[in-house]
Amino acid sequence: MQDQIRQIQERCKVAFAKAKELYGLDLSNVGIRFDLKGRAAGMACMRGVRGAPHFYMRFNRDMLTREAFEHQLNNTVPHEVAHIVCFMNPKLGRNHDSGWESICIALGGTGLTRHQEKVVMGKGTTYEYTTDRGHKVRIGDRHHKYVQGGGKLTCRKGKGSVNQFCSYSIVGMNGRTLANPIVRQAPNAPANIEAAVRSEQPNAEEMARRAVMVEELRRRQAVRVLTPVVAARPAATGESKAAISRRIMLAGYKAGKAYETIIAEMIAANDYDRQLARGTFKANAPKVGIPASFYS
Ligand SMILES: [Zn+2]
């Protein structure tokens, strides 16, 4: 533990010297503490009255002795020092804005915030998908299964969405990052289509395999076609999600569709997860006159 503490202190001093050189700021009085608990690797703090503020950084004590230490040393230190630099000269940046980011990078960090950093799930497999807008997102087994089963996940902050046509890699296993990610290209990835088109004289086995793939694609696309038609309505009419759900429920029930089919349509139309779709169904069934025996 003492050795790790010393390394963090040294890394801070290097960043302090860099900050002095680049921004003319004296960070020699910035406190370095090792009393942080919980999930955050570090924290930058400012205390005291105007004119005589005191700056200090807190580092997670528990992470010092864990696998996360390397990360703490090389990423968290520049990250927190960059915050201190911004505290001292607010013109340079604020929070995690672009000013802060360039300082963090100049001090040897990644410029990423904790939430953007690469995490692997503690248990099971971690999948890294490329969204339809080209962003990388990581999900666990449960969501992976949902996506491969035809579900769609919408990511926050306009990062796009993930479906079974997206490429993915397996990047982690039971809390460990794989040295060599296992890459899975989507069936409709340009490279795969290209390869299929260019390969000559396929044998019967290959033809059968392709026929299955084409059939599978047809089936998936048939399901997909429903999505925009139903989803396009709320924007046009201002219809609430609950109202959309009731409409889908009633239409589906009258048409003799299965409960699961109706749930899938609700998920597609409203971006619900399964649990929310089921809950919405249950809450709205009495309102549209669907008997409890149908869904319980
Ligand atoms: Zn931060």
Side-chain angles (χ1 to χ4, degrees):
M1 170 88 82
Q2 281 311 312
D3 184 49
Q4 283 88 342
I5 287 178
R6 193 186 48 73
Q7 285 189 62
I8 295 270
Q9 287 167 334
E10 286 302 315
R11 187 72 186 75
C12 286
K13 290 209 177 98
V14 171
F16 291 174
K18 194 78 187 166
K20 180 156 200 166
E21 178 197 325
L22 294 174
Y23 313 108
L25 296 169
D26 180 10
L27 280 76
S28 57
N29 288 323
V30 172
I32 303 169
R33 305 182 189 174
F34 296 90
D35 58 355
L36 193 60
K37 288 174 183 168
R39 290 183 64 188
M43 184 185 278
C45 309
M46 173 166 58
R47 291 281 178 278
V49 290
R50 198 177 284 270
H54 174 60
F55 305 101
Y56 58 98
M57 293 179 295
R58 300 175 66 195
F59 292 99
N60 190 305
R61 192 173 191 87
D62 182 49
M63 283 184 190
L64 292 171
T65 53
R66 291 199 279 121
E67 215 186 332
F69 175 69
E70 285 297 317
H71 171 89
Q72 206 179 16
L73 183 65
N74 297 316
N75 300 74
T76 310
V77 170
H79 181 120
E80 304 309 336
V81 174
H83 279 310
I84 300 284
V85 167
C86 293
F87 288 162
M88 288 182 161
N89 184 354
K91 283 181 192 160
L92 293 172
R94 194 167 170 271
N95 296 331
H96 294 131
D97 69 3
S98 59
W100 168 86
E101 185 185 322
S102 54
I103 297 166
C104 182
I105 292 167
L107 299 178
T110 58
L112 294 174
T113 64
R114 185 160 53 92
H115 302 287
Q116 292 168 291
E117 276 159 6
K118 305 297 184 189
V119 288
V120 294
M121 313 296 160
K123 281 179 188 166
T125 310
T126 304
Y127 303 83
E128 186 175 87
Y129 273 79
T130 304
T131 72
D132 57 1
R133 294 200 186 149
H135 288 273
K136 303 256 194 236
V137 294
R138 294 190 171 199
I139 60 177
D141 285 313
R142 197 167 62 84
H143 283 119
H144 171 70
K145 202 174 163 192
Y146 171 72
V147 168
Q148 290 305 315
K152 180 180 132 190
L153 293 175
T154 302
C155 307
R156 281 172 297 180
K157 297 184 181 172
K159 285 186 177 174
S161 63
V162 166
N163 62 32
Q164 62 202 345
F165 295 100
C166 297
S167 306
Y168 66 89
S169 308
I170 296 172
V171 292
M173 216 70 97
N174 294 326
R176 296 202 166 254
T177 298
L178 299 185
N180 298 305
I182 301 162
V183 179
R184 296 260 188 276
Q185 286 290 346
N188 63 345
N192 285 348
I193 293 171
E194 183 86 348
V197 169
R198 281 170 188 260
S199 69
E200 340 167 24
Q201 303 279 328
N203 56 26
E205 191 188 9
E206 175 59 16
M207 287 307 285
R209 195 185 70 85
R210 285 186 202 178
V212 170
M213 269 180 70
V214 168
E215 197 47 50
E216 178 70 1
L217 274 168
R218 279 207 189 106
R219 191 182 63 78
R220 290 173 180 183
Q221 278 161 353
V223 172
R224 274 163 63 84
V225 172
L226 284 176
T227 315
V229 175
V230 182
R233 293 208 181 177
T237 62
E239 201 179 8
S240 72
K241 285 194 174 186
I244 294 165
S245 294
R246 285 194 289 272
R247 182 162 51 72
I248 293 171
M249 285 163 57
L250 192 58
Y253 178 68
K254 282 184 175 168
K257 289 181 185 173
Y259 171 68
E260 288 300 333
T261 308
I262 298 172
I263 290 294
E265 288 179 1
M266 288 166 67
I267 290 171
N270 287 337
D271 267 346
Y272 286 154
D273 64 22
R274 212 180 132 71
Q275 197 183 357
L276 185 55
R278 293 174 72 108
T280 305
F281 192 105
K282 196 171 175 184
N284 286 282
K287 296 178 190 169
V288 295
I290 296 176
S293 58
F294 181 72
Y295 57 91
S296 54

